[in-house]
Amino acid sequence: MTSFTRDPAVLVLEDGTRHLGRAYGARGTTLGEVVFATGMTGYQETLTDPSYAGQIVLQTAPHIGNTGMNDEDPESRRIWVAGYIVRDPSRVVSNWRADESLDDALVRDGIVGVSGIDTRAVTRHIRSAGSMRGGVFSGDAAALDPEEQLRLVREAPAMAGRNLSAEVSVATVEVTPAAAGVERLGSLAVLDLGVKRATIDNLAARGFDVHVLPQSATIDDVRAIDPVAVFYSNGPGDPAASGDHVELLRAVLDDRLPFFGICFGNQLLGRALGLGTYKLPFGHRGINQPVLDKATGRVEITAQNHGFAVDAPIQGEFDSPHGYGRVEVSHVGLNDQVVEGLRALDIPAFSVQYHPEAAAGPHDANYLFDRFAAMVKENRAQA
């Protein structure tokens, strides 16, 4: 049973907009970038996705928490969102797999939330004005002077320019062996910028011995495991603030190691190739984002969470400014024509802006792990 309260809470946006509601989860103050996620299911996977670090997540689906939380579906070791905004939290947990309520999980991990506000109005405001800093104030903090609350919000760091990889990455190398019964391809170096469990499982299922490396890894650390390929994960923050990860990736490309990157990894491949990145007005978050695969003409419904994108020409081939040969945009977002994938034509490297592992679904893009394994086999055959 979810505990319900009428304790007040308030959401404050940096433009001075205020929304009064009820305390949900832990009590206190939390600050971050307010973003909205459009998935109608999969809230546990969203909450435990490290890509959401530093962000106060608003769920556009009105009813949240009815299936509770379980010990099988988390994507990482904890809840990472900076705060949580829902309209109607479920009063009862109604699923046989549930181990605890969502409210209890938020309290356990210290996540300050707010419920009972008009989430549709907040979403429409962000779509018009763009993502912005915000704060949730509950408990004693709810009674702070409104001007003091607004001051705290406006003094919080903006997402642009932030490097959050060290906050979410593993501290030491973790290894997941290739799944039993599949052809073993060799060691895969995964740079953990906020990797999800489902990603590791998908790579192991394709025959990789998955070595998850801390985000501080050097090219010598990568070479030490004699990898057959390198993978960059999803993760939070501004790709323009991840210069060390870009330099590492350039060394990987110089070694002609096959490379696959997703989400943040797509942005870092773009920067390694010499392209720029920019901040989107309100980003893409949810499990219903349509993407065109230019090679096949197929439209995929994808899971996404990103506030930045690669700046590249959508049509035709172009030369990498950093000398890695020809490149093309392989996938395009159909809602706003944002770059959703890159493919290098003269080196073994490609990336997508979305999440092909999509633990909560959809699974339209899961084939990309097979494409990666095929690229590694082809590269090995040509060596």
Side-chain angles (χ1 to χ4, degrees):
M1 179 73 70
T2 297
S3 60
F4 264 69
T5 176
R6 291 191 176 276
D7 293 348
V10 59
L11 168 67
V12 180
L13 301 180
E14 68 175 284
D15 64 357
T17 304
R18 297 172 60 84
H19 294 267
L20 299 177
R22 298 184 299 271
Y24 187 52
R27 305 302 194 264
T29 298
T30 191
L31 304 169
E33 181 184 43
V34 179
V35 301
F36 59 88
T38 58
M40 295 182 68
T41 186
Y43 61 79
Q44 178 166 353
E45 290 84 353
T46 293
L47 288 166
T48 56
D49 180 349
S51 299
Y52 283 105
Q55 296 175 330
I56 299 173
V57 175
L58 179 151
Q59 297 277 182
T60 59
H63 193 55
I64 297 294
N66 57 303
T67 57
M69 300 280 277
N70 64 65
D71 294 333
E72 298 177 15
D73 293 344
E75 290 293 344
S76 64
R77 58 191 179 275
R78 55 159 294 177
I79 295 174
W80 287 104
V81 301
Y84 203 41
I85 306 168
V86 301
R87 194 182 85 180
D88 294 322
S90 177
R91 293 176 179 272
V92 178
V93 174
S94 303
N95 189 279
W96 64 272
R97 298 176 66 233
D99 296 303
E100 62 181 336
S101 71
L102 173 54
D103 187 26
D104 289 342
L106 294 171
V107 171
R108 183 195 66 230
D109 284 357
I111 308 302
V112 177
V114 58
S115 67
I117 68 172
D118 187 345
T119 50
R120 180 177 175 84
V122 178
T123 300
R124 290 173 64 87
H125 183 61
I126 292 173
R127 282 182 60 89
S128 298
S131 297
M132 62 185 77
R133 290 169 295 180
V136 176
F137 302 87
S138 65
D140 293 341
L144 287 173
D145 181 80
E147 289 301 317
E148 173 65 8
Q149 292 171 339
L150 183 58
R151 181 189 68 80
L152 292 171
V153 168
R154 289 177 173 172
E155 289 181 353
M159 187 58 70
R162 294 187 72 184
N163 183 334
L164 296 170
S165 300
E167 296 183 17
V168 300
S169 181
V170 295
T172 58
V173 179
E174 297 180 0
V175 180
T176 297
V182 299
E183 177 189 358
R184 183 180 176 277
L185 297 182
S187 296
L188 173 67
V190 172
L191 192 69
D192 180 11
L193 304 169
V195 71
K196 298 200 287 182
R197 184 70 241 173
T199 300
I200 296 171
D201 291 343
N202 270 282
L203 293 167
R206 268 64 177 190
F208 294 107
D209 292 321
V210 183
H211 295 246
V212 178
L213 307 182
Q215 61 86 32
S216 57
T218 65
I219 187 60
D220 290 336
D221 296 326
V222 172
R223 291 169 178 159
I225 69 169
D226 191 23
V228 295
V230 175
F231 178 92
Y232 269 26
S233 78
N234 56 291
D238 184 347
S242 291
D244 289 346
H245 304 138
V246 172
E247 290 307 309
L248 172 60
L249 181 48
R250 292 191 66 187
V252 167
L253 300 180
D254 290 342
D255 283 356
R256 291 301 190 266
L257 283 167
F259 173 81
F260 178 27
I262 67 171
C263 198
F264 201 54
N266 176 69
Q267 296 159 18
L268 295 181
L269 176 61
R271 296 192 71 86
L273 294 172
L275 305 172
T277 51
Y278 62 97
K279 196 173 191 309
L280 293 166
F282 49 82
H284 302 161
R285 297 173 181 88
I287 56 177
N288 51 4
Q289 306 285 335
V291 169
L292 172 67
D293 182 340
K294 291 172 57 180
T296 64
R298 182 169 178 256
V299 176
E300 303 166 6
I301 304 303
T302 67
Q304 300 194 17
N305 171 28
H306 66 108
F308 295 85
V310 176
D311 187 7
I314 299 297
Q315 301 298 331
E317 301 173 4
F318 56 92
D319 291 329
S320 160
H322 282 171
Y324 291 106
R326 297 167 301 145
V327 182
E328 67 176 3
V329 170
S330 58
H331 296 76
V332 178
L334 293 180
N335 286 334
D336 50 13
Q337 299 298 297
V338 164
V339 172
E340 292 287 350
L342 296 169
R343 185 165 75 99
L345 302 178
D346 297 316
I347 59 172
F350 74 100
S351 59
V352 292
Q353 186 56 68
Y354 45 96
H355 292 232
E357 80 292 338
H363 300 138
D364 297 25
N366 196 260
Y367 71 91
L368 289 167
F369 291 108
D370 296 322
R371 180 180 292 181
F372 180 42
M375 182 177 73
V376 172
K377 292 178 183 178
E378 181 180 355
N379 188 75
R380 186 170 59 186
Q382 295 175 351

